[in-house]
Every structure is written in C-alpha cells, then in structure tokens.
C-alpha cells in the first residue's frame, strides 16, 4: 500500500470522468501514483510522487538498483466508483480539513483498490472503501494499456 498526502484526488477524478468511463491507476512501491484516462484523441495523466510506501512491520524495505525492479500495480477502475471512494475529500460528504490523519491505498492486482482513511483524532476510528476493478490480462498490463 501507499500512504501520503493525497491532495484533492476527488477533484482530479471528477474532471477525468468527463473524458472517459475508466481510470487507470498505477502505483509503485517507490512512492509514485499515476491516474490516467485515455479516450480517442486524448490521454490525460496526473502524477503524485513522494508518497510513502507502506510495508508490513516484519518486512524489510527492499533496495532497488534500477527502475525495472520496482514493484508496481496497474488497475482499471470505473471512474465514478473511484470518485465516490474519495468523497471524503470534497463535496457534501467531505470530512473537513484536519479531520483525517492519513489515507492508505492498497492495490490488489485484478481484484480491488482499498482506500483506508484514518480519522483525526485516531480514537474516532477509520473509514475503509473497497473499490472493484475491471480485469486486465497479463499482456495488457505489460503493455501499460
């Protein structure tokens, strides 16, 4: 999973929805997240970098020599469903500035995207969204669609 300051992704996702039904989400354990929409004649990408990869407590942080060895995951998600998962950032469901401590995204290849929001103060608990994804075959994933 990746955690960090996911600045207004809700706004970005709402704007991307006007360009196409599906959003491609790619994340790396190097702390990079890319949102992409492809439509005839247009390809729009938004990049988030400097995010903090999250490892299990018992897992060592791997040393990576080159870019090809970085673990990555690509998901194809319905833009509307993904936007709903980030409704806590903006709009009528917004939690308000300072009401969250962090957001952890976990991408599970061909299964789901999990969005886990930790509330502030932590005693309030958390909110977790499970967003289904569209199946991508191995050949399509390696081509980056």
């Amino acid at each position: 999973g990746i955690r960090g300051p996911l600045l207004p992704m809700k706004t970005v996702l709402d704007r991307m929805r006007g360009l196409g039904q599906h959003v491609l989400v790619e994340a790396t354990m190097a702390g990079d997240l890319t949102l992409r929409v492809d439509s005839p004649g247009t390809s729009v990408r938004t990049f988030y970098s400097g995010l903090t990869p999250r490892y299990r407590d018992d897992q060592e942080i791997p040393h990576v020599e080159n870019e090809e060895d970085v673990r990555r995951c690509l998901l194809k998600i319905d833009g509307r469903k993904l936007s709903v998962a980030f409704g806590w950032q903006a709009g009528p469901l917004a939690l308000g500035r300072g009401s969250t401590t962090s957001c952890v995204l976990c991408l599970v290849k061909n299964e789901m995207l999990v969005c886990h929001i930790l509330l502030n103060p932590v005693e309030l608990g958390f909110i977790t969204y499970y967003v289904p994804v569209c199946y991508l075959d191995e050949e399509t994933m390696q081509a980056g669609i």
Side-chain angles (χ1 to χ4, degrees):
I2 293 182
R3 75 174 202 181
L6 295 178
L7 299 174
M9 279 184 58
K10 168 84 170 135
T11 305
V12 171
L13 290 166
D14 286 346
R15 290 182 180 164
M16 285 183 154
R17 279 181 34 210
L19 300 172
Q21 179 182 357
H22 294 99
V23 176
L24 297 170
V25 178
E26 183 174 20
T28 70
M29 291 306 282
D32 299 317
L33 178 71
T34 304
L35 305 175
R36 184 172 96 205
V37 173
D38 294 323
S39 61
T42 302
S43 180
V44 175
R45 296 176 186 193
T46 300
F47 302 95
Y48 293 87
S49 61
L51 303 174
T52 306
R54 181 82 180 235
Y55 295 91
R56 293 189 316 256
D57 291 339
D58 63 342
Q59 186 178 11
E60 281 189 36
I61 298 172
H63 176 70
V64 178
E65 293 293 326
N66 59 32
E67 180 77 18
E68 283 114 34
D69 294 335
V70 173
R71 290 179 53 201
R72 63 185 65 242
C73 185
L74 175 68
L75 300 177
K76 181 178 180 181
I77 304 174
D78 182 291
R80 187 181 52 78
K81 292 177 182 175
L82 186 57
S83 180
V84 168
F86 284 91
W88 56 274
Q89 287 187 326
L93 300 177
L95 295 175
R97 192 177 276 287
S99 61
T100 61
T101 57
S102 66
C103 172
V104 179
L105 292 180
C106 180
L107 285 69
V108 182
K109 182 174 141 185
N110 280 328
E111 295 286 334
M112 71 183 88
L113 178 137
V114 180
C115 181
H116 185 76
I117 303 106
L118 301 173
L119 301 175
N120 186 23
V122 293
E123 291 79 24
L124 289 176
F126 56 87
I127 300 170
T128 304
Y129 292 94
Y130 297 91
V131 184
V133 302
C134 301
Y135 179 80
L136 292 173
D137 60 55
E138 203 62 39
E139 183 179 317
T140 303
M141 277 194 266
Q142 290 193 359
I145 298 193

